[in-house]
Amino acid sequence: MRTISSIGKREFIQHTSQYIKQAELQGGLIITHQNKPALKLIAIKNKTTKDLRGLVPHVKVKGDINDPVFSGFDEW
């Protein structure tokens, strides 16, 4: 497992692009202010269909999915 390192806010501001690359590789970065954690920068991984399994247990559609939501909506 990758460890998330921490750096000071001033150091992050001075070398932002370097630390963004580091956060992408490590999965995240904690930015401190006065030696206290202030922000957490986390990398977003690409979502695949495998990552989405289990989020929606089942979907039940009632009626015709192509019907307008509001009555008279298709009449101008």
Side-chain angles (χ1 to χ4, degrees):
M1 184 175 171
R2 299 177 186 166
T3 58
I4 296 177
S5 60
S6 64
I7 58 158
K9 180 174 69 170
R10 182 176 299 208
E11 178 71 16
F12 177 76
I13 290 170
Q14 292 173 348
H15 305 285
T16 303
S17 62
Q18 172 189 343
Y19 286 115
I20 288 175
K21 289 177 188 175
Q22 179 181 339
E24 289 174 345
L25 294 174
Q26 293 182 348
L29 181 68
I30 295 175
I31 303 167
T32 62
H33 179 68
Q34 297 180 349
N35 294 326
K36 295 179 184 174
L39 300 169
K40 185 175 183 181
L41 179 67
I42 57 170
I44 299 174
K45 67 176 189 172
N46 292 332
K47 297 283 185 186
T48 64
T49 54
K50 290 180 182 177
D51 295 330
L52 300 175
R53 281 190 204 146
L55 293 178
V56 180
H58 79 271
V59 176
K60 187 174 185 180
V61 178
K62 293 183 177 181
D64 186 1
I65 197 165
N66 293 320
D67 282 345
V69 177
F70 304 107
S71 61
F73 184 73
D74 55 346
E75 299 171 5
W76 292 90

Coordinates of all heavy atoms in Angstrom, one line a residue:
M1 N 0.8 -1.2 0.0 CA 0.0 0.0 0.0 C 0.9 1.2 0.0 O 1.9 1.3 0.7 CB -0.9 0.0 1.2 CG -1.9 1.1 1.3 SD -3.0 0.9 2.7 CE -3.8 2.4 2.6
R2 N 0.5 2.2 -0.8 CA 1.3 3.5 -0.8 C 1.0 4.3 0.4 O -0.2 4.4 0.8 CB 0.9 4.2 -2.1 CG 1.2 3.5 -3.4 CD 0.7 4.2 -4.5 NE 0.9 3.4 -5.8 CZ 0.4 3.7 -6.9 NH1 -0.4 4.8 -7.0 NH2 0.6 2.9 -7.9
T3 N 2.0 5.0 0.9 CA 1.8 5.9 2.0 C 1.6 7.3 1.5 O 2.2 7.7 0.5 CB 3.0 5.9 2.9 OG1 4.2 6.3 2.2 CG2 3.2 4.5 3.5
I4 N 0.7 8.1 2.1 CA 0.4 9.4 1.8 C 1.3 10.3 2.6 O 1.3 10.3 3.8 CB -1.0 9.8 2.0 CG1 -1.9 8.9 1.1 CG2 -1.3 11.3 1.7 CD1 -3.4 9.2 1.3
S5 N 2.2 11.1 1.9 CA 3.1 12.0 2.7 C 2.4 13.4 2.9 O 1.3 13.7 2.4 CB 4.4 12.2 1.9 OG 4.1 12.8 0.6
S6 N 3.0 14.1 3.8 CA 2.5 15.5 4.1 C 3.6 16.5 3.9 O 4.8 16.3 4.1 CB 1.9 15.5 5.5 OG 3.0 15.3 6.5
I7 N 3.1 17.7 3.5 CA 4.0 18.8 3.3 C 3.4 20.1 3.8 O 2.2 20.2 4.0 CB 4.4 19.0 1.8 CG1 3.1 19.2 1.0 CG2 5.2 17.9 1.3 CD1 3.4 19.9 -0.3
G8 N 4.2 21.1 4.0 CA 3.7 22.4 4.5 C 3.0 23.2 3.3 O 3.3 23.0 2.1
K9 N 2.1 24.1 3.7 CA 1.4 24.8 2.7 C 2.3 25.7 1.8 O 2.2 25.7 0.6 CB 0.3 25.7 3.4 CG -0.5 26.6 2.4 CD -1.6 27.3 3.1 CE -1.0 28.4 4.0 NZ -2.1 29.3 4.5
R10 N 3.3 26.3 2.4 CA 4.2 27.2 1.7 C 5.0 26.4 0.7 O 5.2 26.8 -0.5 CB 5.1 27.9 2.6 CG 6.0 28.9 1.9 CD 6.9 29.6 2.9 NE 5.9 30.4 3.7 CZ 6.2 31.5 4.3 NH1 7.4 32.0 4.1 NH2 5.3 32.2 5.0
E11 N 5.5 25.2 1.1 CA 6.2 24.3 0.2 C 5.4 23.9 -1.0 O 5.8 23.8 -2.1 CB 6.7 23.1 1.0 CG 7.5 22.1 0.2 CD 8.8 22.6 -0.3 OE1 9.4 23.6 0.2 OE2 9.4 22.0 -1.2
F12 N 4.1 23.5 -0.7 CA 3.2 23.1 -1.7 C 3.0 24.2 -2.7 O 3.0 24.0 -4.0 CB 1.8 22.7 -1.1 CG 0.8 22.3 -2.2 CD1 0.9 21.1 -2.8 CD2 -0.2 23.2 -2.5 CE1 0.0 20.7 -3.8 CE2 -1.2 22.8 -3.5 CZ -1.0 21.6 -4.1
I13 N 2.8 25.5 -2.3 CA 2.5 26.6 -3.2 C 3.7 26.8 -4.1 O 3.6 27.1 -5.3 CB 2.2 27.9 -2.4 CG1 0.8 27.7 -1.7 CG2 2.2 29.1 -3.2 CD1 0.4 28.8 -0.7
Q14 N 4.9 26.7 -3.5 CA 6.2 27.0 -4.3 C 6.4 25.9 -5.3 O 7.1 26.2 -6.4 CB 7.3 27.1 -3.4 CG 7.3 28.4 -2.5 CD 8.4 28.4 -1.5 OE1 9.1 27.4 -1.2 NE2 8.5 29.6 -0.8
H15 N 6.0 24.7 -5.1 CA 6.3 23.6 -6.0 C 5.0 22.8 -6.3 O 5.0 21.5 -6.3 CB 7.3 22.6 -5.4 CG 8.6 23.4 -5.0 ND1 9.5 23.8 -5.9 CD2 9.1 23.8 -3.8 CE1 10.5 24.4 -5.3 NE2 10.3 24.4 -4.0
T16 N 4.0 23.5 -6.7 CA 2.7 22.8 -6.9 C 2.7 21.7 -7.9 O 2.2 20.6 -7.6 CB 1.6 23.9 -7.3 OG1 1.6 24.9 -6.3 CG2 0.3 23.3 -7.4
S17 N 3.2 21.9 -9.1 CA 3.1 20.9 -10.1 C 3.9 19.6 -9.7 O 3.5 18.5 -10.0 CB 3.7 21.4 -11.4 OG 5.0 21.8 -11.3
Q18 N 5.0 19.8 -9.0 CA 5.8 18.6 -8.5 C 5.0 17.8 -7.5 O 4.9 16.6 -7.6 CB 7.1 19.1 -7.9 CG 7.9 18.1 -7.2 CD 9.0 18.7 -6.3 OE1 9.4 19.8 -6.6 NE2 9.5 17.9 -5.4
Y19 N 4.3 18.5 -6.6 CA 3.5 17.8 -5.6 C 2.2 17.2 -6.2 O 1.7 16.2 -5.6 CB 3.2 18.7 -4.4 CG 4.5 18.9 -3.6 CD1 5.1 20.1 -3.5 CD2 5.1 17.8 -2.9 CE1 6.3 20.3 -2.7 CE2 6.2 17.9 -2.2 CZ 6.8 19.2 -2.1 OH 8.0 19.3 -1.4
I20 N 1.7 17.8 -7.2 CA 0.5 17.2 -7.8 C 0.9 15.9 -8.5 O 0.2 14.9 -8.4 CB -0.2 18.2 -8.8 CG1 -0.8 19.3 -8.1 CG2 -1.1 17.5 -9.7 CD1 -1.4 20.4 -8.9
K21 N 2.0 15.9 -9.2 CA 2.5 14.6 -9.7 C 2.7 13.6 -8.7 O 2.4 12.4 -8.8 CB 3.8 14.9 -10.5 CG 3.6 15.6 -11.8 CD 4.9 15.9 -12.5 CE 4.6 16.8 -13.7 NZ 5.9 17.2 -14.3
Q22 N 3.3 14.0 -7.5 CA 3.6 13.1 -6.4 C 2.3 12.5 -5.9 O 2.2 11.3 -5.6 CB 4.3 13.8 -5.3 CG 4.6 12.9 -4.1 CD 5.4 13.7 -3.1 OE1 6.0 14.7 -3.3 NE2 5.3 13.2 -1.8
A23 N 1.3 13.4 -5.8 CA 0.0 12.9 -5.3 C -0.7 11.9 -6.2 O -1.3 11.0 -5.8 CB -1.0 14.1 -5.0
E24 N -0.5 12.1 -7.5 CA -1.1 11.2 -8.5 C -0.4 9.8 -8.3 O -1.1 8.8 -8.4 CB -0.9 11.7 -9.9 CG -1.7 12.8 -10.3 CD -1.4 13.4 -11.6 OE1 -0.3 13.1 -12.2 OE2 -2.2 14.2 -12.1
L25 N 0.9 9.8 -8.1 CA 1.6 8.5 -8.0 C 1.3 7.8 -6.6 O 1.2 6.6 -6.6 CB 3.1 8.8 -8.1 CG 3.6 9.2 -9.5 CD1 5.1 9.6 -9.4 CD2 3.3 8.2 -10.5
Q26 N 1.3 8.6 -5.6 CA 1.1 8.0 -4.2 C -0.4 7.8 -3.9 O -0.7 7.1 -2.9 CB 1.7 8.9 -3.2 CG 3.2 9.0 -3.2 CD 3.8 9.8 -2.1 OE1 3.1 10.5 -1.4 NE2 5.1 9.7 -1.9
G27 N -1.3 8.4 -4.6 CA -2.7 8.3 -4.3 C -3.2 9.5 -3.5 O -4.4 9.6 -3.3
G28 N -2.4 10.3 -3.0 CA -2.8 11.5 -2.2 C -1.7 12.2 -1.6 O -0.5 11.8 -1.6
L29 N -2.0 13.3 -0.9 CA -1.0 14.2 -0.3 C -1.8 15.0 0.8 O -2.9 15.5 0.6 CB -0.4 15.1 -1.3 CG 0.7 16.1 -0.8 CD1 1.9 15.3 -0.4 CD2 1.0 17.1 -1.9
I30 N -1.2 15.1 2.0 CA -1.8 16.0 3.0 C -1.0 17.3 3.1 O 0.3 17.2 3.2 CB -1.7 15.2 4.4 CG1 -2.6 14.0 4.3 CG2 -2.2 16.1 5.5 CD1 -2.6 13.1 5.5
I31 N -1.7 18.4 3.1 CA -1.1 19.7 3.2 C -1.3 20.2 4.5 O -2.5 20.3 5.0 CB -1.6 20.6 2.0 CG1 -1.4 20.0 0.7 CG2 -1.0 22.0 2.1 CD1 -2.1 20.6 -0.5
T32 N -0.3 20.7 5.2 CA -0.4 21.1 6.6 C -0.3 22.7 6.6 O 0.3 23.3 5.8 CB 0.7 20.5 7.5 OG1 2.0 20.9 7.0 CG2 0.6 19.0 7.5
H33 N -0.9 23.2 7.7 CA -0.8 24.6 8.0 C -0.4 24.8 9.5 O -1.2 24.3 10.3 CB -2.1 25.4 7.7 CG -2.0 26.8 8.0 ND1 -1.3 27.7 7.3 CD2 -2.7 27.5 8.9 CE1 -1.5 28.9 7.7 NE2 -2.3 28.8 8.7
Q34 N 0.7 25.3 9.8 CA 1.2 25.4 11.1 C 1.3 24.0 11.8 O 0.9 23.8 12.9 CB 0.4 26.4 12.0 CG 0.4 27.8 11.4 CD -0.4 28.8 12.2 OE1 -1.2 28.4 13.1 NE2 -0.2 30.0 12.0
N35 N 1.8 23.1 11.0 CA 2.1 21.7 11.5 C 0.8 21.0 11.8 O 0.8 19.9 12.5 CB 3.1 21.7 12.6 CG 4.4 22.1 12.2 OD1 4.8 21.9 11.1 ND2 5.1 22.8 13.1
K36 N -0.3 21.4 11.3 CA -1.6 20.7 11.6 C -2.2 20.4 10.2 O -2.2 21.2 9.3 CB -2.6 21.6 12.3 CG -2.1 21.9 13.8 CD -3.1 22.7 14.5 CE -2.6 23.1 15.9 NZ -3.5 24.0 16.5
P37 N -2.7 19.2 10.0 CA -3.3 18.9 8.7 C -4.5 19.8 8.3 O -5.3 20.1 9.1 CB -3.9 17.5 8.9 CG -3.2 16.9 10.1 CD -2.8 18.1 10.9
A38 N -4.4 20.4 7.1 CA -5.4 21.4 6.7 C -6.2 20.9 5.5 O -7.4 21.1 5.4 CB -4.7 22.7 6.4
L39 N -5.5 20.3 4.5 CA -6.1 19.8 3.3 C -5.6 18.4 2.9 O -4.5 18.0 3.3 CB -5.7 20.7 2.1 CG -6.1 22.2 2.3 CD1 -5.5 23.0 1.2 CD2 -7.6 22.3 2.2
K40 N -6.4 17.7 2.2 CA -6.0 16.4 1.7 C -6.3 16.4 0.2 O -7.4 16.5 -0.2 CB -6.8 15.3 2.4 CG -6.3 13.9 2.0 CD -7.1 12.8 2.8 CE -6.5 11.5 2.5 NZ -7.3 10.4 3.2
L41 N -5.2 16.2 -0.5 CA -5.3 16.2 -2.0 C -5.3 14.7 -2.4 O -4.3 14.0 -2.1 CB -4.1 16.9 -2.6 CG -4.0 16.9 -4.1 CD1 -5.1 17.8 -4.7 CD2 -2.7 17.6 -4.5
I42 N -6.3 14.2 -3.0 CA -6.4 12.8 -3.3 C -6.5 12.6 -4.8 O -7.1 13.4 -5.5 CB -7.5 12.0 -2.6 CG1 -8.9 12.7 -2.9 CG2 -7.3 11.9 -1.1 CD1 -10.1 11.8 -2.5
A43 N -5.9 11.6 -5.3 CA -5.9 11.3 -6.8 C -7.3 10.6 -7.1 O -7.8 9.8 -6.3 CB -4.8 10.4 -7.2
I44 N -7.8 10.9 -8.2 CA -9.0 10.3 -8.7 C -8.7 9.2 -9.7 O -8.0 9.5 -10.7 CB -10.0 11.3 -9.4 CG1 -10.3 12.4 -8.4 CG2 -11.2 10.7 -10.0 CD1 -11.1 13.6 -9.1
K45 N -9.1 8.0 -9.4 CA -8.7 6.9 -10.3 C -9.8 6.8 -11.4 O -11.0 7.2 -11.1 CB -8.6 5.6 -9.6 CG -9.8 5.0 -9.0 CD -9.5 3.7 -8.3 CE -10.8 3.0 -7.9 NZ -10.6 1.7 -7.5
N46 N -9.4 6.3 -12.5 CA -10.4 6.1 -13.6 C -11.4 5.1 -13.2 O -11.1 4.0 -12.7 CB -9.7 5.7 -14.9 CG -8.8 6.8 -15.4 OD1 -9.1 7.9 -15.2 ND2 -7.8 6.4 -16.1
K47 N -12.7 5.4 -13.4 CA -13.8 4.5 -13.0 C -14.0 3.5 -14.1 O -13.9 3.8 -15.3 CB -15.1 5.2 -12.8 CG -15.0 6.2 -11.6 CD -15.1 5.4 -10.3 CE -15.2 6.4 -9.2 NZ -15.1 5.8 -7.9
T48 N -14.2 2.3 -13.8 CA -14.6 1.2 -14.7 C -15.9 0.7 -14.3 O -16.4 1.0 -13.2 CB -13.5 0.1 -14.7 OG1 -13.5 -0.6 -13.5 CG2 -12.1 0.6 -15.0
T49 N -16.5 -0.1 -15.2 CA -17.8 -0.7 -14.8 C -17.6 -1.6 -13.6 O -18.6 -1.8 -12.8 CB -18.3 -1.5 -16.0 OG1 -17.4 -2.5 -16.4 CG2 -18.7 -0.6 -17.1
K50 N -16.5 -2.2 -13.4 CA -16.3 -3.1 -12.2 C -16.4 -2.2 -10.9 O -16.8 -2.7 -9.9 CB -14.9 -3.8 -12.3 CG -14.9 -4.8 -13.3 CD -13.5 -5.5 -13.4 CE -13.5 -6.6 -14.5 NZ -12.2 -7.2 -14.6
D51 N -15.9 -1.0 -11.0 CA -16.0 -0.1 -9.8 C -17.4 0.3 -9.5 O -17.7 0.6 -8.3 CB -15.2 1.2 -10.0 CG -13.7 0.9 -10.2 OD1 -13.2 0.0 -9.6 OD2 -13.0 1.7 -10.9
L52 N -18.3 0.2 -10.4 CA -19.7 0.7 -10.2 C -20.6 -0.5 -9.7 O -21.7 -0.2 -9.3 CB -20.2 1.2 -11.5 CG -19.5 2.5 -12.1 CD1 -20.1 2.9 -13.4 CD2 -19.5 3.6 -11.1
R53 N -20.1 -1.7 -9.7 CA -20.9 -2.8 -9.3 C -21.3 -2.6 -7.8 O -20.5 -2.3 -7.0 CB -20.2 -4.1 -9.4 CG -20.2 -4.6 -10.8 CD -19.7 -6.0 -10.9 NE -19.2 -6.2 -12.2 CZ -18.1 -7.0 -12.5 NH1 -17.5 -7.6 -11.6 NH2 -17.7 -7.1 -13.8
G54 N -22.6 -2.9 -7.5 CA -23.0 -2.9 -6.2 C -23.5 -1.5 -5.7 O -24.1 -1.4 -4.7
L55 N -23.3 -0.5 -6.5 CA -23.8 0.9 -6.1 C -25.3 1.0 -6.3 O -25.9 1.7 -5.5 CB -23.1 1.9 -7.0 CG -21.6 2.1 -6.7 CD1 -21.0 3.2 -7.6 CD2 -21.3 2.4 -5.2
V56 N -25.8 0.4 -7.4 CA -27.3 0.4 -7.6 C -27.7 -1.1 -7.5 O -27.5 -1.8 -8.5 CB -27.6 1.0 -9.0 CG1 -29.1 1.0 -9.2 CG2 -27.1 2.4 -9.1
P57 N -28.4 -1.5 -6.4 CA -28.7 -2.9 -6.3 C -29.7 -3.4 -7.4 O -29.4 -4.4 -7.9 CB -29.4 -3.0 -4.9 CG -29.5 -1.6 -4.4 CD -28.8 -0.7 -5.3
H58 N -30.7 -2.6 -7.7 CA -31.5 -3.0 -8.8 C -32.4 -1.7 -9.2 O -32.6 -0.9 -8.4 CB -32.4 -4.2 -8.5 CG -33.6 -3.9 -7.7 ND1 -33.6 -3.9 -6.3 CD2 -34.9 -3.5 -8.0 CE1 -34.8 -3.6 -5.9 NE2 -35.6 -3.3 -6.9
V59 N -32.8 -1.7 -10.4 CA -33.6 -0.6 -10.9 C -34.9 -1.2 -11.5 O -34.9 -2.1 -12.2 CB -32.8 0.2 -12.0 CG1 -33.7 1.3 -12.6 CG2 -31.5 0.8 -11.5
K60 N -36.0 -0.6 -11.1 CA -37.3 -1.0 -11.6 C -37.9 0.2 -12.3 O -38.1 1.2 -11.7 CB -38.1 -1.5 -10.4 CG -39.4 -2.1 -10.9 CD -40.2 -2.7 -9.7 CE -41.4 -3.4 -10.1 NZ -42.1 -4.0 -9.0
V61 N -38.3 0.0 -13.6 CA -38.9 1.0 -14.4 C -40.4 0.7 -14.4 O -40.8 -0.4 -14.8 CB -38.3 1.1 -15.8 CG1 -39.0 2.1 -16.6 CG2 -36.8 1.3 -15.7
K62 N -41.2 1.7 -14.1 CA -42.6 1.6 -14.2 C -43.1 2.3 -15.4 O -42.7 3.5 -15.6 CB -43.3 2.1 -12.9 CG -43.0 1.4 -11.7 CD -43.7 1.9 -10.5 CE -43.5 1.1 -9.2 NZ -44.3 1.6 -8.1
G63 N -43.9 1.7 -16.2 CA -44.5 2.4 -17.3 C -43.5 2.4 -18.5 O -42.5 1.7 -18.5
D64 N -43.8 3.2 -19.5 CA -43.0 3.3 -20.7 C -41.9 4.3 -20.4 O -42.2 5.5 -20.1 CB -43.8 3.6 -21.9 CG -43.0 3.6 -23.2 OD1 -41.8 3.3 -23.2 OD2 -43.6 3.9 -24.2
I65 N -40.7 3.9 -20.6 CA -39.6 4.8 -20.3 C -39.5 6.0 -21.3 O -38.9 7.0 -21.1 CB -38.2 4.1 -20.3 CG1 -37.2 4.9 -19.6 CG2 -37.8 3.6 -21.7 CD1 -35.9 4.1 -19.2
N66 N -40.2 5.8 -22.5 CA -40.1 6.9 -23.5 C -41.3 7.8 -23.4 O -41.3 8.8 -24.1 CB -40.2 6.2 -24.9 CG -38.9 5.4 -25.2 OD1 -37.8 5.9 -24.8 ND2 -39.0 4.3 -25.8
D67 N -42.2 7.6 -22.5 CA -43.3 8.5 -22.3 C -42.8 9.8 -21.7 O -41.9 9.8 -20.9 CB -44.4 7.9 -21.4 CG -45.3 6.9 -22.1 OD1 -45.3 6.9 -23.3 OD2 -46.0 6.2 -21.4
P68 N -43.5 11.0 -22.0 CA -43.1 12.2 -21.3 C -43.3 12.2 -19.8 O -44.2 11.5 -19.3 CB -43.9 13.3 -22.0 CG -44.9 12.6 -22.9 CD -44.5 11.2 -22.9
V69 N -42.5 12.9 -19.1 CA -42.6 12.9 -17.7 C -43.9 13.7 -17.2 O -44.6 13.2 -16.3 CB -41.3 13.6 -17.0 CG1 -41.5 13.7 -15.5 CG2 -40.1 12.8 -17.4
F70 N -44.1 14.8 -17.9 CA -45.3 15.6 -17.5 C -46.4 15.4 -18.6 O -46.0 15.4 -19.8 CB -44.9 17.1 -17.4 CG -43.8 17.3 -16.4 CD1 -42.5 17.6 -16.9 CD2 -44.1 17.2 -15.1 CE1 -41.5 17.9 -16.0 CE2 -43.0 17.4 -14.2 CZ -41.8 17.8 -14.6
S71 N -47.6 15.4 -18.2 CA -48.7 15.3 -19.2 C -48.8 16.6 -20.0 O -48.6 17.7 -19.4 CB -50.0 15.0 -18.6 OG -50.4 16.0 -17.7
G72 N -49.0 16.5 -21.3 CA -49.0 17.7 -22.1 C -47.7 18.3 -22.4 O -47.6 19.4 -23.1
F73 N -46.6 17.7 -22.0 CA -45.3 18.2 -22.2 C -44.9 18.2 -23.7 O -44.2 19.1 -24.2 CB -44.3 17.4 -21.4 CG -42.9 17.9 -21.5 CD1 -42.5 19.1 -20.8 CD2 -41.9 17.3 -22.3 CE1 -41.2 19.6 -20.9 CE2 -40.6 17.8 -22.3 CZ -40.3 18.9 -21.7
D74 N -45.4 17.2 -24.4 CA -45.0 17.1 -25.9 C -45.9 18.0 -26.7 O -45.7 18.1 -27.9 CB -45.1 15.7 -26.3 CG -46.4 15.1 -26.1 OD1 -47.2 15.6 -25.3 OD2 -46.7 14.0 -26.7
E75 N -46.9 18.7 -26.2 CA -47.7 19.6 -26.9 C -47.3 21.1 -26.7 O -47.2 21.5 -25.6 CB -49.2 19.4 -26.5 CG -49.7 18.0 -26.7 CD -51.1 17.8 -26.1 OE1 -51.7 18.8 -25.6 OE2 -51.5 16.7 -26.1
W76 N -47.1 21.8 -27.8 CA -46.7 23.2 -27.6 C -47.9 24.1 -27.9 O -48.5 24.4 -28.6 CB -45.5 23.5 -28.5 CG -44.3 22.8 -28.1 CD1 -43.9 21.5 -28.4 CD2 -43.4 23.2 -27.1 NE1 -42.8 21.2 -27.8 CE2 -42.4 22.2 -27.0 CE3 -43.2 24.4 -26.3 CZ2 -41.3 22.3 -26.1 CZ3 -42.2 24.5 -25.5 CH2 -41.2 23.4 -25.4

